[in-house]
Amino acid sequence: MAKARIGLVGLAVMGANLALNIAEKGFPVAVHNRTTQRIDDLMAAAGDLAANLVPAQTPEALVAALAKPRAIILMVKAGAAVDAVIGQLAPLLDPGDILIDAGNANFHDTRRREKALADQGLSFIGMGVSGGEEGARHGPSIMVGGKPESYAVIRDIVEAIAARYKGDPCAAHLGPDGAGHFVKTVHNGIEYADMQMIAEVYGLLRDGEHRNPADIGKLFAEWNGGPLHSYLVEISAKVLAAKDAATGNPMVEMILDKAGQKGTGRWSVIEALGLGQSASTIEAAVGARSWSALKPARLAGAEILAAAEPSGREAHAVLDGDLERALLAAKIVAYAQGFALLDAASQEYGWDLDLARIAEIWREGCIIRSAMLDDMARAARDGLPHGQLIFAPEFAQKLSAASNALRRTVAAAALKGLPVPAFSAALAYFDTMRRGRGTTDLIQAQRDFFGAHGFERIDGGAGHHGPWGGKRTG
Ligand code: NBP
């Protein structure tokens, strides 16, 4: 058999499906997995596509099966597994060969690996892949970071396997070293916020309006036909309609309310803070998942804090129309914060990220695909006023029109005693950004009082001190 065009290591859910996708697009792909049973399983399940798969039982066999320059995709667990596989493969490769990490790596690791491999004459591509199992098999969104000349070697394969939006592949080379993995991280951060906001709507309807899951699911299905059209709203409708086969109960009610997280949401928040930003909607979503893990404490809290049950007298019903607009407004803020974070990182690391292109490759294939992304791409192409998506005319108008619905929703939630951390964060950001004058004049005064930090005066000049005198501590 002729040499394979590309190799793939790691045949769990994502890797196996990506291998089948590559094979289906006509590229011979050599496949390897540490536990070799997975290789046999893939070959057995591949059907006709097995003709384009080259099983390699060892790393040596994998390398021997590849045409030069060799390109090998790693689709193993993020973290130590990636370093382990690189450690096995790198000594077997020649200068000019390319390793491509397609897992959810922390972009700092990607930058480190790129440097280390460059010293050995090897190229390293950090490639974020979104779309889950289905996306990997039939077309994910692919965010690439690395040297353009390395990407040129695999570009035809990447574009062939990616999702398409009206014919345009949802794959792009976005910048050097860690740029692709950073964009994937922020994608996941936005995903966290989007999922949390949808869950907040569910909570308000379930606990505030006593609606059943099937009914709430129908509402999401309706919304999916309008401006909220998105993969996450669509699957939420399906999830809420599903029944548990064992009990006949709504499936969602049989699921323990404790969510896991693997790191990308948290990394978005950490990076945002490190860059002097606050992606507060993402932070709220990450925090909500952490609180969800405190199940025993929350059960205890329900007893200990029972006296704090709100009277509910002042609370008004949350209207479906308000919720739809509130979700739209909050989602715009989450995406805007994500884009602001991308922009800040782009400046910090000199990546020159094209925000419009990023929005374009998120239009299909990825988990946050939604009708809004095409409009966001257009707004970013036109240039974001002050770098803010929420100031782009179309979004400023949408957000302003929906803001009172968001306000009523957050107010009703507060009066009913129902937590809506992501909605609240979105509203606070919106209200902060629409006020020219904030309250940090007092903070500056406090800082000067105890620490002689000095402040700028509104009538000019920095380094002023207030007339507080006395003893300063600090
Ligand atoms: P997992 O993240 O569960 O990783 C399992 C794979 O890693 C197996 O092939 C396993 O080999 C291999 N592996 C491990 Br663990 N340690 C290894 C080591 N020391 N040496 C060699 N191989 C090792 O698989 P996944 O869910 O398919 O995800 C793969 C990557 O894609 C991850 O980075 C994930 O974050 C990312 N991702 C996942 C999704 C999703 O929806 N699942 C979506 C987008 C991105 P073994 O079979 O021998 O144990």
Side-chain angles (χ1 to χ4, degrees):
M1 185 175 180
K3 298 269 188 188
R5 254 301 295 281
I6 195 158
L8 196 153
V9 176
L11 300 176
V13 178
M14 292 297 283
N17 281 290
L18 206 65
L20 292 174
N21 186 354
I22 296 170
E24 188 177 63
K25 300 303 177 308
F27 300 99
V29 50
V31 288
H32 173 69
N33 193 78
R34 176 181 63 175
T35 307
T36 53
Q37 181 63 43
R38 285 200 199 265
I39 309 173
D40 304 338
D41 293 348
L42 175 65
M43 295 308 292
D48 292 349
L49 296 178
N52 267 343
L53 296 173
V54 182
Q57 301 294 323
T58 61
E60 289 78 6
L62 177 84
V63 169
L66 296 173
K68 292 186 181 179
R70 303 180 186 92
I72 304 174
I73 297 176
L74 316 183
M75 205 27 142
V76 297
K77 197 177 174 70
V82 177
D83 287 316
V85 175
I86 291 175
Q88 280 182 332
L89 292 173
L92 307 174
L93 299 175
D94 294 322
D97 289 345
I98 306 162
L99 289 174
I100 305 138
D101 178 10
N104 279 340
N106 185 311
F107 84 106
H108 292 297
D109 285 338
T110 305
R111 285 163 70 84
R112 167 179 61 77
R113 290 170 183 143
E114 204 249 4
K115 273 201 188 70
L117 288 168
D119 291 345
Q120 302 172 48
L122 299 175
S123 289
F124 190 64
I125 287 180
M127 187 169 93
V129 175
S130 175
E133 179 178 358
E134 187 66 14
R137 177 66 185 85
H138 297 292
S141 168
I142 305 179
M143 295 144 258
V144 182
K147 291 198 174 62
E149 58 272 26
S150 306
Y151 180 55
V153 174
I154 56 162
R155 182 177 172 166
D156 57 341
I157 302 177
V158 171
E159 292 192 348
I161 62 171
R164 279 171 192 272
Y165 179 85
K166 296 183 181 166
D168 182 22
C170 293
H173 175 257
L174 299 169
D177 52 73
H181 275 144
F182 186 81
V183 173
K184 173 66 183 2
T185 295
V186 175
H187 164 284
N188 285 23
I190 295 172
E191 178 184 310
Y192 270 60
D194 208 339
M195 291 167 75
Q196 172 65 23
M197 287 164 179
I198 292 171
E200 288 177 12
V201 171
Y202 159 67
L204 283 173
L205 290 173
R206 184 190 69 184
D207 300 332
E209 306 304 320
H210 310 292
R211 305 254 290 262
N212 64 49
D215 188 29
I216 301 168
K218 274 190 204 132
L219 189 63
F220 283 143
E222 259 171 51
W223 291 356
N224 196 40
L228 282 170
H229 178 69
S230 64
Y231 174 71
L232 285 171
V233 169
E234 178 193 328
I235 64 163
S236 301
K238 290 181 179 163
V239 164
L240 290 166
K243 289 262 195 297
D244 174 35
T247 60
N249 291 338
M251 189 66 236
V252 71
E253 292 188 346
M254 301 306 294
I255 299 174
L256 192 68
D257 57 328
K258 250 175 93 171
Q261 47 182 317
K262 284 189 177 167
T264 44
R266 189 163 44 222
W267 296 341
S268 297
V269 175
I270 290 170
E271 292 309 324
L273 294 175
L275 290 162
Q277 304 277 312
S278 171
S280 58
T281 52
I282 300 174
E283 209 170 297
V286 172
R289 285 207 200 177
S290 303
W291 292 337
S292 84
L294 307 177
K295 179 77 176 174
R298 287 186 290 115
L299 285 170
E303 305 288 326
I304 297 165
L305 305 174
E309 193 60 34
S311 71
R313 273 198 304 276
E314 312 87 339
H316 51 82
V318 188
L319 305 175
D320 291 357
D322 265 2
L323 275 179
E324 184 181 14
R325 284 189 292 276
L327 182 56
L328 188 75
K331 247 179 99 142
I332 291 172
V333 171
Y335 281 68
Q337 291 185 333
F339 281 113
L341 174 52
L342 289 172
D343 197 35
S346 180
Q347 288 176 37
E348 174 74 15
Y349 297 103
W351 286 335
D352 199 19
L353 292 179
D354 179 347
L355 299 185
R357 189 67 195 133
I358 292 168
E360 282 167 6
I361 65 169
W362 287 349
R363 288 177 301 188
E364 277 300 342
C366 66
I367 303 295
I368 63 168
R369 60 186 184 262
S370 80
M372 263 193 320
L373 276 161
D374 194 36
D375 301 334
M376 289 180 179
R378 213 173 320 111
R381 279 263 171 265
D382 291 345
L384 301 178
H386 302 276
Q388 291 286 343
L389 180 72
I390 61 169
F391 294 162
E394 182 177 346
F395 287 97
Q397 189 274 330
K398 277 189 176 140
L399 201 46
S400 301
S403 62
N404 281 331
L406 178 60
R407 211 175 285 296
R408 281 191 295 272
T409 301
V410 172
L415 291 171
K416 287 171 191 281
L418 299 173
V420 285
F423 273 3
S424 306
L427 181 61
Y429 182 72
F430 174 73
D431 279 336
T432 298
M433 294 306 284
R434 65 179 192 81
R435 300 187 71 81
R437 184 172 182 214
T439 54
T440 39
D441 43 0
L442 179 57
I443 301 224
Q444 286 295 77
Q446 290 165 335
R447 293 177 69 229
D448 185 57
F449 192 105
F450 64 67
H453 291 287
F455 50 76
E456 278 181 69
R457 288 181 59 96
I458 58 170
D459 49 4
H464 291 278
H465 295 284
W468 356 99
K471 203 166 148 209
R472 288 174 176 143
T473 57

